[in-house]
């Protein structure tokens, strides 16, 4: 396929990346400034302040942006906080949990896995059964994008609090859109990716690091093997304003605008918006035979709606036809390929407009008259319900 620069109206309904927020899009074209410019340091401080609010850190908690995607956020945690021979307990009930386990192992950890059947959340009792004084870190993915499952981080955090282990949480599909309370829960290291719940361009990993994690870092017997994201190097630039590496200033501009927009909208309003859109989509598609893939309602991740496809549904053919009409939808991964769709409800995709486009095209492609009318009726009903509650 040739690259064509004609995608102005493209609708991204994938579980990341998400459509870029208009304010972030505009900030991207600001003229370049140097990474040591006082104005950039002022912008960075605002980003750090806003990230403290988004993550719910301790009042002076350390936050920063890493120049890379969410996976760099994941890797930096293991690189800085794990040494060869450390015992690390990884909760892995999907592909991102398994990515964590692989990274921990590459930094020399002895990995203990806690798993759950596909489409189910990790059970805190299973974590408790594997947790002992030898464990130096527990790592868990909050929202498992590969299956649409929400893991019970507050309950797991409570177990870890009494144990002396650090707690690392992948907040890629949750922070900025779902409740996240780093200090209150007792999380030591959290990260996300700019292109997920915040609808900023990809290429930045916002992280938050607790004082406890910094103490563990300071007590390392060996230097961290990953120079680029060394916690001390991060502190040099983000706190002491000395050169470490050239940060992607234009991405900082866009990220700042997207995060500001999120906080101005309000984190609770965003949570309500995701839930409302999830209900509307599920109710609209249910009569066609779509159903929730994740059985238990409390295990469902609101930002990635995993729907089981109707019997005999042409998954690949439909997604290809939608792509020709400038709509991107994501199917399952591995064992769920051909079985589910994973509809993204992070950031700017959790709005009536993008899904209006999906329903319009699906009505036509599936020969399902009335689908769009049902979408509009259910949306109006849910919006009225929300107003009545307010
Ligand atoms: C997308 C994602 C990542 C990886 O982020 P990249 O930006 O693709 O590197 C990690 N964890 C979860 C839960 C994700 O959804």
């Amino acid at each position: 396929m040739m690259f064509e620069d004609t995608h102005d109206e493209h609708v991204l309904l994938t579980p990341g990346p998400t459509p870029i927020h208009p304010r972030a899009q505009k900030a991207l074209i600001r003229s370049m400034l140097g990474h040591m410019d006082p104005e950039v340091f002022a912008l960075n401080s605002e980003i750090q302040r806003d990230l403290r609010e988004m993550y719910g850190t301790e009042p002076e908690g350390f936050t920063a942006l890493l120049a890379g995607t969410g996976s760099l956020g994941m890797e930096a945690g293991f690189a800085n906080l794990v040494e060869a021979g450390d015992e690390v307990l990884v909760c892995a009930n999907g592909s991102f949990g398994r990515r964590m386990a692989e990274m921990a192992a590459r930094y020399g950890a002895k990995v203990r896995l806690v798993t759950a059947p596909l489409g189910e959340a990790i059970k805190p009792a299973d974590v408790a059964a594997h947790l002992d004084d030898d464990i130096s870190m527990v790592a868990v993915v909050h929202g498992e994008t590969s299956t649409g499952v929400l893991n019970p981080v507050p309950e797991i955090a409570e177990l870890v609090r009494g144990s002396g282990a650090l707690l690392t949480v992948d907040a890629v599909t949750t922070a900025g859109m779902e409740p996240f309370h780093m200090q209150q829960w007792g999380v030591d290291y959290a990260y996300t990716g700019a292109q997920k719940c915040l609808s900023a361009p990809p290429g930045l990993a916002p992280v938050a690091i607790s004082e406890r994690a910094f103490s563990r870092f300071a007590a390392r017997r060996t230097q961290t093997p990953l120079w680029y994201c060394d916690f001390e190097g991060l502190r040099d630039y983000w706190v002491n304003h000395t050169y470490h590496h050239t940060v992607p200033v234009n991405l900082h501009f866009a990220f700042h605008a997207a995060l500001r927009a999120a906080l101005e909208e309000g984190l609770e309003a965003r949570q309500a918006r995701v839930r409302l859109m999830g209900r509307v989509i599920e109710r609209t598609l249910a009569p066609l035979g779509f159903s929730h893939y994740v059985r238990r309602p409390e295990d469902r991740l609101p930002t990635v709606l995993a729907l089981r496809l109707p019997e005999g549904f042409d998954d690949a053919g439909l997604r290809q036809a939608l792509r020709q009409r400038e709509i991107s939808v994501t199917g399952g991964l591995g064992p769920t390929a051909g079985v589910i769709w994973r509809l993204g409800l992070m950031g700017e995709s959790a709005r009536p407009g993008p899904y209006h486009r999906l329903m319009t095209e699906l009505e036509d492609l599936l020969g399902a008259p009335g689908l769009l009318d049902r979408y509009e009726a259910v949306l109006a009903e849910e919006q009225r319900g929300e107003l009545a509650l307010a």
Side-chain angles (χ1 to χ4, degrees), residues 52-125:
R52 278 186 213 110
E53 182 177 343
M54 182 188 83
Y55 279 123
T57 69
E58 45 214 341
E60 296 303 317
F62 179 85
T63 56
L65 299 174
L66 308 184
T69 66
S71 301
L72 184 65
M74 186 188 282
E75 183 145 8
F78 296 114
N80 282 284
L81 299 172
V82 167
E83 286 182 90
D86 285 356
E87 302 246 12
V88 174
L89 189 159
V90 180
C91 302
N93 52 337
S95 59
F96 290 104
R98 286 195 301 276
R99 184 177 294 188
M100 279 184 141
E102 178 176 349
M103 284 188 187
R106 287 202 192 187
Y107 285 95
K110 292 188 208 147
V111 175
R112 285 190 212 174
L113 280 186
V114 173
T115 60
L118 222 56
E120 291 182 25
I122 296 287
K123 289 194 181 65

Side-chain angles (χ1 to χ4, degrees), residues 15 69-72 74 96 99 141 143-145 170 172-173 191 193 195-196:
T69 66
S71 301
L72 184 65
M74 186 188 282
F96 290 104
R99 184 177 294 188
V141 176
E144 183 45 80
T145 322
D170 177 313
V172 175
T173 57
Y191 59 88
Q195 80 281 16
K196 300 278 177 101

Side-chain angles (χ1 to χ4, degrees), residues 137-195:
M137 180 198 278
V138 173
V140 59
V141 176
H142 196 190
E144 183 45 80
T145 322
S146 62
T147 53
V149 166
L150 180 73
N151 282 319
V153 166
E155 287 80 358
I156 293 170
E158 196 169 334
L159 295 168
V160 178
R161 256 203 313 274
S163 80
L166 293 178
L167 178 61
T168 289
V169 178
D170 177 313
V172 175
T173 57
T174 53
M177 210 89 200
E178 283 298 294
F180 199 89
H181 306 288
M182 181 152 175
Q183 180 185 28
Q184 190 191 324
W185 293 347
V187 176
D188 294 294
Y189 181 72
Y191 59 88
T192 180
Q195 80 281 16

